[in-house]
Each structure stands twice: as structure tokens, then as C-alpha cells.
Amino acid sequence: MIYSILIVMDYKHIIWDWNGTLLDDRAMCVKSINQILIEKGLPVITLEKYMRLFTFPVKAFYEKLGFDFKKNSFDDIGDGFIDFYNKNFKSLKLHKNTVTTLLHIKKMGKTQAVLSAAMDKMLKNWISDHDLRTFFTDIVGVDNQYAHGKIDIGKRYIEKLNINRKEILMIGDTPHDSEVAEAAGIDCILVEHGHVSKVRLKETGRKTFQNFLEVEKYL
């Protein structure tokens, strides 16, 4: 579906993705995946290959990398990824201008939330670790750590909001964010500094932006 003709609205509520969009964790995810690939005797991947193949549900991505779930439990692989990620989380930083952009949007009088395929409890802890809780009216994650996707929780969250769907904007870094927005009936824009290549983002037909300064100008 093509979304390139997107009418700029006076959005009242901004829904952010977390991993890759606000948090710069792309390189860490590649390290985490490669750690598991090495343990299973599979070839490691480059950052470019990761950005070309990464998708939701994450299980489909693992299969593209050669994992055989008849031999290896998906849950065990997912647990290994999360364990490595959590041990190294403190080294991660927010993307450049994240705080200034969140503050800019807040001063514009718009409300903001986070919707993520990450486990709810961990997501809230991560956001607290970066001192961002005060920016968000809602922080919504899933009930497991296996990154199956967030379409269902996204639809439920939007349904609870007392806001016209035309006045809600989602900002993400993957085609899955576009899929969530489409399922929920809201607009979406994508940033190019996350987990997926610019080419794949452009293929969604959504407006894409190189950085948060461009996003600020758009809003």
C-alpha cells in the first residue's frame, strides 16, 4: 500500500517506538545475535545484513539466519539474546537529539507515548534508566520477551484513547511500525537511524526522515 501522499495533520498524540527509534541499540542487537550464532556454530552477520533481513515476528528473522527450531528451542534462543542484551544495556545511548525532540513536542502541547514489542516490565525499566518517564502518558509493551510483534497491543491501545485517530501519529524505524499504524487506523512516519535499511523503509510508502531534527520540522 502506498502512503506517500500524506496530509500533514495537527497531531495531538505521538506514539513512539522504543528500540531503534528512540534508543540507539542496533549495533548491540547485532552483537547479541552474533553471540548466539557463534554458540550454535552458524555464520555471524554484518550490520548491513542485519538491516536487510530484520523483521517481525523475530522468529522469522532467526529462521532467515539459519536457526533450526527443530534442533534449537526458539524460547532458548530468545532468552540468550535478552540475557546478553540486558548485561550490556547500560552502555546504550539514546539517538542524537532524542531528549530535545521529546521536549519540543511536549512544549507544543502534544501528548506522547511509547508502544513497543519489548516486554512491558523491561521496557518501563529501560525508559526509567534514561530518565524519560515524565515525557510519556503511556508506556505499553508486550507480556513476553520474544518480540512476536505489537499489532494486537497497538490496536487495543488506540481503541482506549479518547482521541480522533486522524490526530494520532506513530513514529518508528521498521516496516512493522507501519503495519501497526495501518492496523490501528493511524498515520505513521519512519526514521532511518534504526534497525532497517532506508531502502526497506521507502518501500512502505511512508514518509521517512534521516534524523529527529527533520521530524521536528515536520511536526
Side-chain angles (χ1 to χ4, degrees):
M1 188 172 292
I2 302 299
Y3 305 94
S4 57
I5 303 175
L6 180 61
I7 299 173
V8 178
M9 297 288 296
D10 182 16
Y11 299 110
K12 293 182 178 179
H13 190 58
I14 310 298
I15 302 175
W16 293 92
D17 171 60
W18 173 246
N19 299 93
T21 301
L22 295 175
L23 183 71
D24 184 6
D25 67 344
R26 181 175 63 194
M28 180 60 68
C29 287
V30 175
K31 289 181 181 179
S32 299
I33 288 291
N34 279 337
Q35 180 81 6
I36 301 169
L37 288 169
I38 291 170
E39 291 174 359
K40 302 301 181 183
L42 295 169
V44 298
I45 60 172
T46 62
L47 176 62
E48 290 72 22
K49 185 173 183 178
Y50 174 86
M51 295 175 68
R52 189 170 69 249
L53 297 180
F54 180 74
T55 190
F56 286 93
V58 168
K59 185 176 182 180
F61 170 59
Y62 287 164
E63 288 173 333
K64 291 179 182 179
L65 299 183
F67 288 107
D68 183 350
F69 293 116
K70 294 179 180 178
K71 298 180 180 179
N72 301 288
S73 163
F74 169 67
D75 289 358
D76 288 345
I77 293 172
D79 290 342
F81 176 92
I82 291 296
D83 288 345
F84 184 89
Y85 186 98
N86 283 339
K87 288 177 182 176
N88 295 276
F89 174 77
K90 296 294 184 181
S91 66
L92 296 176
K93 296 181 180 180
L94 300 170
H95 279 292
K96 186 176 180 180
N97 295 315
T98 291
V99 175
T100 55
T101 298
L102 293 175
L103 185 59
H104 173 78
I105 294 172
K106 184 176 182 179
K107 288 180 177 178
M108 292 173 70
K110 305 178 190 296
T111 54
Q112 301 177 82
V114 171
L115 176 69
S116 173
M119 190 172 180
D120 190 76
K121 182 178 180 180
M122 290 192 296
L123 174 66
K124 288 172 179 172
N125 288 338
W126 294 337
I127 291 174
S128 292
D129 286 343
H130 286 280
D131 296 322
L132 299 179
R133 287 293 291 263
T134 58
F135 285 109
F136 306 119
T137 58
D138 301 291
I139 298 173
V140 183
V142 299
D143 61 1
N144 64 80
Q145 61 184 23
Y146 303 117
H148 298 300
K150 57 187 180 183
I151 289 178
D152 288 341
I153 62 166
K155 290 168 66 176
R156 289 197 297 269
Y157 173 62
I158 298 301
E159 287 170 359
K160 292 179 181 178
L161 294 176
N162 187 27
I163 304 174
N164 187 318
R165 296 190 186 206
K166 293 182 179 180
E167 297 174 327
I168 303 172
L169 175 70
M170 183 161 191
I171 303 178
D173 71 307
T174 70
H176 185 61
D177 294 304
S178 176
E179 294 166 353
V180 173
E182 181 179 359
I186 62 175
D187 281 343
C188 177
I189 61 174
L190 301 170
V191 288
E192 300 168 4
H193 58 212
H195 289 265
V196 171
S197 67
K198 179 179 179 179
V199 171
R200 290 179 62 199
L201 295 183
K202 292 288 187 181
E203 288 173 351
T204 67
R206 301 287 190 182
K207 285 187 176 292
T208 66
F209 299 87
Q210 292 184 17
N211 52 54
F212 285 149
L213 292 181
E214 290 187 357
V215 170
E216 284 187 31
K217 291 179 181 178
Y218 176 74
L219 294 175

